[in-house]
Amino acid sequence: MSEVWSAAGLTVQVAEPAQEVYESLVAQDAPAKLAAKDPTLWGPDAQPEAAVRLGWVDTFERSRALIPQLAELRDELADLDHVVLAGMGGSSLAPEVITRTLGKALTVLDTTDPGQVRAALGDRLERTVVVVASKSGSTIETDSHRRAYWQAFLDAGLTPAEAGRHFVVVTDPGSPLSAVAQEMGAFVILADPDVGGRYSALTAFGLVPSALAGVDIAELIDQAAEFAPSIGQAEENPALALGAALSRAHYAALADDGSGLTGLGDWAEQLIAESTGKESKGLLPVVIETPTSPIAKTDHTAIVTMGGSLYAKTIPGSGVQPDISVNGPLGAQFLCWEAATAFAGKALSINPFDQPNVTESKENTARILESGLPSAEPDFVDGAVIGYGVGGSLEAAIRLLFTDQGYVAIMAYLDRFADAEIATLRELVATESGLPTTFGWAPRFLHSTGQFHKGGPQVGAFLQITGTPAEDLAVPGKPYTFGQLQAAQAAGDRLALASRQRPLLHLHLTDRNAGIKQLLGALKSS
Ligand SMILES: O=P(O)(O)OC[C@H]1O[C@H](O)[C@H](O)[C@@H](O)[C@@H]1O
């Protein structure tokens, strides 16, 4: 018998409710403590971080001040109607879902692929405003994008003063980026420092790029404000029911139910994977396009639909029976998932506000950029595919991924648009292995499931795909190119994963088109 929890037009339905977890969280006063932003809720180890990370509980109220400011900025920049957002993870995933859901155009740049960056730089430059968004102000990808755009504007004949007008910087007060932004003459909007990246949907990080793209942000804020009182309640608390149910799952297939909240799964993926995937615990989100995808049919996977039209275990005739459904307006969805994740963190006894293993790959990357790529002998060369660390042939290498338990993660350091076909590999791998299978474009996934891979339960099998770019691109003012940065990120993450002794297959495509076809062909015939 499923149960339903509703507040402010948002409904959570759970087919098999986690009643005992819900009751235990209520007994520990978790809803009231969360609503009161009490940092002791997650225990003494988490307390120092929680003390500066709970602003999201009511940040949307402070965000109202942005409404007139952003309307003014939009008028001032009316001639710049191509909005590019340079930001990683929590600094870009929310605006991506907001603008896609509300039908506004936003170019999100969260890649180091030279071809993809080059294509963005070549698109309507004279009409482009670049939102450079970084909480820490030190993220290497975002800094590289800022440099590339700055140089592109100068190369197009703009003076530095003219170029500065094409940048809007969103960052925390006092970050290195805030100082650089002053020098550039960019518009600077300081964000709420008491909110972590993945909880920042309703702060300046989510709202500035969305408003510049034409979204009515007041509506989102109202939706969150209306939902907010429910997170502190012991009864009729949708976020608590969702958090309790999530804390019991090992894998959650997050499916867009087709009702129009496009991309919410990618946003929730980062929130859940980075917040729970640590200390060998956590829940791996597997983002799928539709609830009927074969990828959702693997064992131990809870099917979670998000949107507004599907209800758990009650869909006549569609063949889809979600275990959990979350239906409601986007502003309320953001707050509900954030609170649910914080409750799940409590139930799992982890700190939902840190990401202890993300830095590992980043530090490896920084070292490799200084000292060069570690040399490795290929195990095989087969047409356009070079295989490393995997034995005799492409077919044998692929079989390595089919373990008898756990999950498979495919990580593509390629161009999300030009090399899009590689994503079809996931369905083949999931069908062949019967395992929950994720697909992540790099470096985007490093800021999301990347934490889970290294910090969560060590049961993953990893397929890393890299490819020689057709043409590289310099990172202005740095001794490396985008291609070298991309390769260093791949190598850095490989080192971090290899130390976990899990199956790790690295395939490098010397010709991307030919290599993708070959790889798909090998899987189809395996
Ligand atoms: O906003 P930034 O400081 O640039 O951070 C962007 C991303 O970087 C890191 O990878 C964190 O793990 C993410 O949680 C964060 O969203």
Side-chain angles (χ1 to χ4, degrees), residues 87-93 133-142 170 196-198 205 270 274 355 358-359 362 446-448 451:
M88 302 306 298
S91 293
S92 57
L93 291 163
S134 173
K135 179 177 171 60
S136 62
S138 58
T139 296
I140 192 166
E141 295 93 332
T142 311
V170 184
R198 55 188 180 269
F205 285 108
Q270 189 215 14
E274 274 203 334
Q355 51 284 331
V358 170
T359 40
K362 279 190 194 171
L446 286 173
H447 304 271
S448 172
Q451 164 61 37

PDB file of all heavy atoms in Angstrom, residues 87-93 133-142 170 196-198 205 270 274 355 358-359 362 446-448 451, ligand 1:
ATOM      1  N   GLY A  87      30.345  27.318 -15.503  1.00  0.00           N
ATOM      2  CA  GLY A  87      30.246  26.925 -14.094  1.00  0.00           C
ATOM      3  C   GLY A  87      30.174  25.411 -14.011  1.00  0.00           C
ATOM      4  O   GLY A  87      29.629  24.765 -14.901  1.00  0.00           O
ATOM      5  N   MET A  88      30.715  24.855 -12.957  1.00  0.00           N
ATOM      6  CA  MET A  88      30.738  23.394 -12.809  1.00  0.00           C
ATOM      7  C   MET A  88      29.796  22.961 -11.685  1.00  0.00           C
ATOM      8  O   MET A  88      29.632  23.672 -10.689  1.00  0.00           O
ATOM      9  CB  MET A  88      32.161  22.913 -12.468  1.00  0.00           C
ATOM     10  CG  MET A  88      33.231  23.281 -13.471  1.00  0.00           C
ATOM     11  SD  MET A  88      32.888  22.790 -15.185  1.00  0.00           S
ATOM     12  CE  MET A  88      32.792  21.017 -15.068  1.00  0.00           C
ATOM     13  N   GLY A  89      29.232  21.789 -11.838  1.00  0.00           N
ATOM     14  CA  GLY A  89      28.437  21.173 -10.774  1.00  0.00           C
ATOM     15  C   GLY A  89      27.347  22.087 -10.247  1.00  0.00           C
ATOM     16  O   GLY A  89      26.488  22.571 -10.998  1.00  0.00           O
ATOM     17  N   GLY A  90      27.418  22.369  -8.966  1.00  0.00           N
ATOM     18  CA  GLY A  90      26.404  23.185  -8.319  1.00  0.00           C
ATOM     19  C   GLY A  90      26.302  24.588  -8.883  1.00  0.00           C
ATOM     20  O   GLY A  90      25.321  25.286  -8.633  1.00  0.00           O
ATOM     21  N   SER A  91      27.299  25.014  -9.648  1.00  0.00           N
ATOM     22  CA  SER A  91      27.254  26.357 -10.218  1.00  0.00           C
ATOM     23  C   SER A  91      26.617  26.384 -11.602  1.00  0.00           C
ATOM     24  O   SER A  91      26.583  27.446 -12.227  1.00  0.00           O
ATOM     25  CB  SER A  91      28.665  26.957 -10.258  1.00  0.00           C
ATOM     26  OG  SER A  91      29.104  27.170  -8.938  1.00  0.00           O
ATOM     27  N   SER A  92      26.155  25.261 -12.101  1.00  0.00           N
ATOM     28  CA  SER A  92      25.490  25.296 -13.411  1.00  0.00           C
ATOM     29  C   SER A  92      24.284  24.362 -13.532  1.00  0.00           C
ATOM     30  O   SER A  92      23.432  24.574 -14.395  1.00  0.00           O
ATOM     31  CB  SER A  92      26.481  24.984 -14.535  1.00  0.00           C
ATOM     32  OG  SER A  92      27.099  23.738 -14.326  1.00  0.00           O
ATOM     33  N   LEU A  93      24.192  23.327 -12.697  1.00  0.00           N
ATOM     34  CA  LEU A  93      23.127  22.339 -12.923  1.00  0.00           C
ATOM     35  C   LEU A  93      21.727  22.900 -12.666  1.00  0.00           C
ATOM     36  O   LEU A  93      20.787  22.570 -13.387  1.00  0.00           O
ATOM     37  CB  LEU A  93      23.375  21.091 -12.069  1.00  0.00           C
ATOM     38  CG  LEU A  93      24.593  20.281 -12.539  1.00  0.00           C
ATOM     39  CD1 LEU A  93      25.056  19.321 -11.447  1.00  0.00           C
ATOM     40  CD2 LEU A  93      24.275  19.504 -13.812  1.00  0.00           C
ATOM     41  N   ALA A 133      30.449  31.538 -12.973  1.00  0.00           N
ATOM     42  CA  ALA A 133      29.884  31.208 -11.665  1.00  0.00           C
ATOM     43  C   ALA A 133      30.761  30.198 -10.936  1.00  0.00           C
ATOM     44  O   ALA A 133      30.991  29.094 -11.441  1.00  0.00           O
ATOM     45  CB  ALA A 133      28.471  30.647 -11.842  1.00  0.00           C
ATOM     46  N   SER A 134      31.262  30.590  -9.800  1.00  0.00           N
ATOM     47  CA  SER A 134      32.067  29.665  -9.000  1.00  0.00           C
ATOM     48  C   SER A 134      32.043  30.113  -7.543  1.00  0.00           C
ATOM     49  O   SER A 134      32.466  31.232  -7.234  1.00  0.00           O
ATOM     50  CB  SER A 134      33.512  29.630  -9.513  1.00  0.00           C
ATOM     51  OG  SER A 134      34.315  28.864  -8.654  1.00  0.00           O
ATOM     52  N   LYS A 135      31.563  29.241  -6.685  1.00  0.00           N
ATOM     53  CA  LYS A 135      31.495  29.572  -5.259  1.00  0.00           C
ATOM     54  C   LYS A 135      32.898  29.783  -4.693  1.00  0.00           C
ATOM     55  O   LYS A 135      33.187  30.793  -4.100  1.00  0.00           O
ATOM     56  CB  LYS A 135      30.774  28.444  -4.526  1.00  0.00           C
ATOM     57  CG  LYS A 135      30.664  28.654  -3.042  1.00  0.00           C
ATOM     58  CD  LYS A 135      29.876  27.552  -2.384  1.00  0.00           C
ATOM     59  CE  LYS A 135      29.975  27.681  -0.872  1.00  0.00           C
ATOM     60  NZ  LYS A 135      29.448  28.956  -0.356  1.00  0.00           N
ATOM     61  N   SER A 136      33.762  28.805  -4.945  1.00  0.00           N
ATOM     62  CA  SER A 136      35.126  28.896  -4.418  1.00  0.00           C
ATOM     63  C   SER A 136      35.936  29.941  -5.173  1.00  0.00           C
ATOM     64  O   SER A 136      36.867  30.525  -4.634  1.00  0.00           O
ATOM     65  CB  SER A 136      35.824  27.537  -4.558  1.00  0.00           C
ATOM     66  OG  SER A 136      35.896  27.195  -5.944  1.00  0.00           O
ATOM     67  N   GLY A 137      35.589  30.146  -6.437  1.00  0.00           N
ATOM     68  CA  GLY A 137      36.342  31.085  -7.267  1.00  0.00           C
ATOM     69  C   GLY A 137      37.670  30.527  -7.710  1.00  0.00           C
ATOM     70  O   GLY A 137      38.533  31.258  -8.205  1.00  0.00           O
ATOM     71  N   SER A 138      37.871  29.224  -7.534  1.00  0.00           N
ATOM     72  CA  SER A 138      39.170  28.655  -7.899  1.00  0.00           C
ATOM     73  C   SER A 138      39.042  27.396  -8.758  1.00  0.00           C
ATOM     74  O   SER A 138      40.008  26.661  -8.919  1.00  0.00           O
ATOM     75  CB  SER A 138      39.955  28.334  -6.619  1.00  0.00           C
ATOM     76  OG  SER A 138      39.204  27.439  -5.834  1.00  0.00           O
ATOM     77  N   THR A 139      37.853  27.143  -9.292  1.00  0.00           N
ATOM     78  CA  THR A 139      37.656  25.925 -10.071  1.00  0.00           C
ATOM     79  C   THR A 139      38.352  26.061 -11.428  1.00  0.00           C
ATOM     80  O   THR A 139      38.123  27.028 -12.160  1.00  0.00           O
ATOM     81  CB  THR A 139      36.139  25.658 -10.201  1.00  0.00           C
ATOM     82  OG1 THR A 139      35.647  25.409  -8.888  1.00  0.00           O
ATOM     83  CG2 THR A 139      35.839  24.479 -11.091  1.00  0.00           C
ATOM     84  N   ILE A 140      39.186  25.098 -11.747  1.00  0.00           N
ATOM     85  CA  ILE A 140      40.095  25.241 -12.896  1.00  0.00           C
ATOM     86  C   ILE A 140      39.341  25.338 -14.228  1.00  0.00           C
ATOM     87  O   ILE A 140      39.714  26.124 -15.103  1.00  0.00           O
ATOM     88  CB  ILE A 140      41.151  24.099 -12.903  1.00  0.00           C
ATOM     89  CG1 ILE A 140      42.262  24.385 -13.896  1.00  0.00           C
ATOM     90  CG2 ILE A 140      40.510  22.748 -13.191  1.00  0.00           C
ATOM     91  CD1 ILE A 140      43.497  23.504 -13.724  1.00  0.00           C
ATOM     92  N   GLU A 141      38.260  24.573 -14.368  1.00  0.00           N
ATOM     93  CA  GLU A 141      37.509  24.618 -15.633  1.00  0.00           C
ATOM     94  C   GLU A 141      36.934  26.010 -15.843  1.00  0.00           C
ATOM     95  O   GLU A 141      37.047  26.601 -16.928  1.00  0.00           O
ATOM     96  CB  GLU A 141      36.351  23.610 -15.619  1.00  0.00           C
ATOM     97  CG  GLU A 141      36.741  22.146 -15.550  1.00  0.00           C
ATOM     98  CD  GLU A 141      36.773  21.629 -14.118  1.00  0.00           C
ATOM     99  OE1 GLU A 141      37.027  22.421 -13.176  1.00  0.00           O
ATOM    100  OE2 GLU A 141      36.551  20.409 -13.936  1.00  0.00           O
ATOM    101  N   THR A 142      36.305  26.542 -14.800  1.00  0.00           N
ATOM    102  CA  THR A 142      35.630  27.837 -14.909  1.00  0.00           C
ATOM    103  C   THR A 142      36.644  28.951 -15.150  1.00  0.00           C
ATOM    104  O   THR A 142      36.410  29.858 -15.952  1.00  0.00           O
ATOM    105  CB  THR A 142      34.808  28.089 -13.620  1.00  0.00           C
ATOM    106  OG1 THR A 142      34.035  26.913 -13.369  1.00  0.00           O
ATOM    107  CG2 THR A 142      33.887  29.271 -13.766  1.00  0.00           C
ATOM    108  N   VAL A 170      29.419  35.504 -10.606  1.00  0.00           N
ATOM    109  CA  VAL A 170      28.708  35.110  -9.381  1.00  0.00           C
ATOM    110  C   VAL A 170      29.693  34.303  -8.539  1.00  0.00           C
ATOM    111  O   VAL A 170      30.230  33.285  -9.009  1.00  0.00           O
ATOM    112  CB  VAL A 170      27.473  34.242  -9.685  1.00  0.00           C
ATOM    113  CG1 VAL A 170      26.702  33.940  -8.392  1.00  0.00           C
ATOM    114  CG2 VAL A 170      26.556  34.908 -10.699  1.00  0.00           C
ATOM    115  N   GLY A 196      26.131  25.626   0.303  1.00  0.00           N
ATOM    116  CA  GLY A 196      27.080  24.876  -0.529  1.00  0.00           C
ATOM    117  C   GLY A 196      26.585  24.811  -1.970  1.00  0.00           C
ATOM    118  O   GLY A 196      25.391  24.995  -2.243  1.00  0.00           O
ATOM    119  N   GLY A 197      27.494  24.519  -2.890  1.00  0.00           N
ATOM    120  CA  GLY A 197      27.186  24.542  -4.319  1.00  0.00           C
ATOM    121  C   GLY A 197      25.938  23.757  -4.702  1.00  0.00           C
ATOM    122  O   GLY A 197      25.051  24.262  -5.389  1.00  0.00           O
ATOM    123  N   ARG A 198      25.857  22.518  -4.247  1.00  0.00           N
ATOM    124  CA  ARG A 198      24.759  21.679  -4.738  1.00  0.00           C
ATOM    125  C   ARG A 198      23.422  22.002  -4.078  1.00  0.00           C
ATOM    126  O   ARG A 198      22.395  21.471  -4.466  1.00  0.00           O
ATOM    127  CB  ARG A 198      25.112  20.202  -4.593  1.00  0.00           C
ATOM    128  CG  ARG A 198      25.497  19.775  -3.199  1.00  0.00           C
ATOM    129  CD  ARG A 198      26.019  18.346  -3.188  1.00  0.00           C
ATOM    130  NE  ARG A 198      26.402  17.920  -1.864  1.00  0.00           N
ATOM    131  CZ  ARG A 198      27.616  18.049  -1.341  1.00  0.00           C
ATOM    132  NH1 ARG A 198      28.575  18.613  -2.046  1.00  0.00           N
ATOM    133  NH2 ARG A 198      27.880  17.618  -0.121  1.00  0.00           N
ATOM    134  N   PHE A 205      23.461  31.646  -7.583  1.00  0.00           N
ATOM    135  CA  PHE A 205      24.005  30.678  -8.551  1.00  0.00           C
ATOM    136  C   PHE A 205      22.920  30.135  -9.477  1.00  0.00           C
ATOM    137  O   PHE A 205      23.126  29.998 -10.668  1.00  0.00           O
ATOM    138  CB  PHE A 205      24.723  29.528  -7.829  1.00  0.00           C
ATOM    139  CG  PHE A 205      26.054  29.956  -7.302  1.00  0.00           C
ATOM    140  CD1 PHE A 205      26.253  30.134  -5.945  1.00  0.00           C
ATOM    141  CD2 PHE A 205      27.100  30.222  -8.178  1.00  0.00           C
ATOM    142  CE1 PHE A 205      27.473  30.570  -5.460  1.00  0.00           C
ATOM    143  CE2 PHE A 205      28.328  30.661  -7.691  1.00  0.00           C
ATOM    144  CZ  PHE A 205      28.512  30.831  -6.338  1.00  0.00           C
ATOM    145  N   GLN A 270      23.713  15.216  -8.756  1.00  0.00           N
ATOM    146  CA  GLN A 270      24.844  15.796  -8.032  1.00  0.00           C
ATOM    147  C   GLN A 270      24.529  15.922  -6.544  1.00  0.00           C
ATOM    148  O   GLN A 270      25.342  15.582  -5.679  1.00  0.00           O
ATOM    149  CB  GLN A 270      25.197  17.184  -8.591  1.00  0.00           C
ATOM    150  CG  GLN A 270      26.504  17.700  -8.003  1.00  0.00           C
ATOM    151  CD  GLN A 270      26.562  19.203  -7.776  1.00  0.00           C
ATOM    152  OE1 GLN A 270      25.556  19.899  -7.815  1.00  0.00           O
ATOM    153  NE2 GLN A 270      27.758  19.701  -7.535  1.00  0.00           N
ATOM    154  N   GLU A 274      26.950  13.487  -4.364  1.00  0.00           N
ATOM    155  CA  GLU A 274      28.008  14.142  -3.579  1.00  0.00           C
ATOM    156  C   GLU A 274      27.660  14.188  -2.099  1.00  0.00           C
ATOM    157  O   GLU A 274      28.543  14.182  -1.251  1.00  0.00           O
ATOM    158  CB  GLU A 274      28.242  15.577  -4.077  1.00  0.00           C
ATOM    159  CG  GLU A 274      29.210  15.672  -5.234  1.00  0.00           C
ATOM    160  CD  GLU A 274      29.852  17.038  -5.374  1.00  0.00           C
ATOM    161  OE1 GLU A 274      29.243  18.035  -4.945  1.00  0.00           O
ATOM    162  OE2 GLU A 274      30.958  17.108  -5.927  1.00  0.00           O
ATOM    163  N   GLN A 355      32.373  16.968   0.456  1.00  0.00           N
ATOM    164  CA  GLN A 355      32.633  16.113  -0.696  1.00  0.00           C
ATOM    165  C   GLN A 355      34.110  15.714  -0.616  1.00  0.00           C
ATOM    166  O   GLN A 355      34.937  16.157  -1.395  1.00  0.00           O
ATOM    167  CB  GLN A 355      32.274  16.778  -2.034  1.00  0.00           C
ATOM    168  CG  GLN A 355      32.836  18.165  -2.313  1.00  0.00           C
ATOM    169  CD  GLN A 355      32.124  19.260  -1.547  1.00  0.00           C
ATOM    170  OE1 GLN A 355      30.946  19.165  -1.214  1.00  0.00           O
ATOM    171  NE2 GLN A 355      32.839  20.327  -1.221  1.00  0.00           N
ATOM    172  N   VAL A 358      36.352  14.472  -3.784  1.00  0.00           N
ATOM    173  CA  VAL A 358      36.442  15.194  -5.062  1.00  0.00           C
ATOM    174  C   VAL A 358      37.840  15.786  -5.230  1.00  0.00           C
ATOM    175  O   VAL A 358      38.416  15.778  -6.322  1.00  0.00           O
ATOM    176  CB  VAL A 358      35.369  16.311  -5.131  1.00  0.00           C
ATOM    177  CG1 VAL A 358      35.587  17.221  -6.321  1.00  0.00           C
ATOM    178  CG2 VAL A 358      33.976  15.694  -5.212  1.00  0.00           C
ATOM    179  N   THR A 359      38.397  16.253  -4.136  1.00  0.00           N
ATOM    180  CA  THR A 359      39.708  16.907  -4.197  1.00  0.00           C
ATOM    181  C   THR A 359      40.821  15.962  -4.659  1.00  0.00           C
ATOM    182  O   THR A 359      41.795  16.409  -5.251  1.00  0.00           O
ATOM    183  CB  THR A 359      40.111  17.454  -2.809  1.00  0.00           C
ATOM    184  OG1 THR A 359      39.717  16.488  -1.852  1.00  0.00           O
ATOM    185  CG2 THR A 359      39.449  18.777  -2.529  1.00  0.00           C
ATOM    186  N   LYS A 362      41.248  16.139  -8.287  1.00  0.00           N
ATOM    187  CA  LYS A 362      41.685  17.501  -8.620  1.00  0.00           C
ATOM    188  C   LYS A 362      43.169  17.681  -8.335  1.00  0.00           C
ATOM    189  O   LYS A 362      43.901  18.268  -9.120  1.00  0.00           O
ATOM    190  CB  LYS A 362      40.922  18.522  -7.761  1.00  0.00           C
ATOM    191  CG  LYS A 362      39.544  18.857  -8.240  1.00  0.00           C
ATOM    192  CD  LYS A 362      39.038  20.055  -7.423  1.00  0.00           C
ATOM    193  CE  LYS A 362      37.542  20.238  -7.597  1.00  0.00           C
ATOM    194  NZ  LYS A 362      36.984  21.224  -6.685  1.00  0.00           N
ATOM    195  N   LEU A 446      32.697  14.613 -12.686  1.00  0.00           N
ATOM    196  CA  LEU A 446      33.661  14.620 -11.574  1.00  0.00           C
ATOM    197  C   LEU A 446      33.116  15.414 -10.390  1.00  0.00           C
ATOM    198  O   LEU A 446      33.473  15.173  -9.242  1.00  0.00           O
ATOM    199  CB  LEU A 446      34.997  15.235 -12.019  1.00  0.00           C
ATOM    200  CG  LEU A 446      35.875  14.371 -12.917  1.00  0.00           C
ATOM    201  CD1 LEU A 446      37.068  15.178 -13.415  1.00  0.00           C
ATOM    202  CD2 LEU A 446      36.347  13.117 -12.199  1.00  0.00           C
ATOM    203  N   HIS A 447      32.246  16.368 -10.685  1.00  0.00           N
ATOM    204  CA  HIS A 447      31.655  17.220  -9.650  1.00  0.00           C
ATOM    205  C   HIS A 447      30.320  16.651  -9.174  1.00  0.00           C
ATOM    206  O   HIS A 447      29.529  17.348  -8.568  1.00  0.00           O
ATOM    207  CB  HIS A 447      31.452  18.628 -10.209  1.00  0.00           C
ATOM    208  CG  HIS A 447      32.720  19.230 -10.732  1.00  0.00           C
ATOM    209  ND1 HIS A 447      33.577  19.956  -9.943  1.00  0.00           N
ATOM    210  CD2 HIS A 447      33.311  19.177 -11.959  1.00  0.00           C
ATOM    211  CE1 HIS A 447      34.622  20.350 -10.661  1.00  0.00           C
ATOM    212  NE2 HIS A 447      34.477  19.880 -11.892  1.00  0.00           N
ATOM    213  N   SER A 448      30.051  15.412  -9.505  1.00  0.00           N
ATOM    214  CA  SER A 448      28.756  14.818  -9.163  1.00  0.00           C
ATOM    215  C   SER A 448      28.965  13.367  -8.717  1.00  0.00           C
ATOM    216  O   SER A 448      29.381  13.110  -7.589  1.00  0.00           O
ATOM    217  CB  SER A 448      27.863  14.924 -10.413  1.00  0.00           C
ATOM    218  OG  SER A 448      26.674  14.230 -10.257  1.00  0.00           O
ATOM    219  N   GLN A 451      32.300  11.882  -6.825  1.00  0.00           N
ATOM    220  CA  GLN A 451      32.476  11.710  -5.370  1.00  0.00           C
ATOM    221  C   GLN A 451      32.028  10.313  -4.947  1.00  0.00           C
ATOM    222  O   GLN A 451      32.723   9.629  -4.199  1.00  0.00           O
ATOM    223  CB  GLN A 451      31.673  12.787  -4.616  1.00  0.00           C
ATOM    224  CG  GLN A 451      31.438  12.532  -3.141  1.00  0.00           C
ATOM    225  CD  GLN A 451      32.725  12.424  -2.331  1.00  0.00           C
ATOM    226  OE1 GLN A 451      33.704  13.126  -2.581  1.00  0.00           O
ATOM    227  NE2 GLN A 451      32.734  11.518  -1.350  1.00  0.00           N
TER     228      GLN A 451
HETATM  229  O1  LIG B   1      31.258  26.634  -7.512  1.00  0.00           O
HETATM  230  P1  LIG B   1      32.630  26.073  -7.496  1.00  0.00           P
HETATM  231  O2  LIG B   1      33.404  26.465  -6.283  1.00  0.00           O
HETATM  232  O3  LIG B   1      33.352  26.401  -8.759  1.00  0.00           O
HETATM  233  O4  LIG B   1      32.495  24.528  -7.420  1.00  0.00           O
HETATM  234  C1  LIG B   1      31.920  23.728  -8.424  1.00  0.00           C
HETATM  235  C2  LIG B   1      31.865  22.298  -7.952  1.00  0.00           C
HETATM  236  O5  LIG B   1      33.179  21.961  -7.532  1.00  0.00           O
HETATM  237  C3  LIG B   1      33.448  20.818  -6.754  1.00  0.00           C
HETATM  238  O6  LIG B   1      33.651  19.759  -7.576  1.00  0.00           O
HETATM  239  C4  LIG B   1      32.410  20.432  -5.753  1.00  0.00           C
HETATM  240  O7  LIG B   1      32.577  19.084  -5.435  1.00  0.00           O
HETATM  241  C5  LIG B   1      31.017  20.678  -6.277  1.00  0.00           C
HETATM  242  O8  LIG B   1      30.109  20.451  -5.229  1.00  0.00           O
HETATM  243  C6  LIG B   1      30.896  22.083  -6.800  1.00  0.00           C
HETATM  244  O9  LIG B   1      29.583  22.327  -7.197  1.00  0.00           O
END
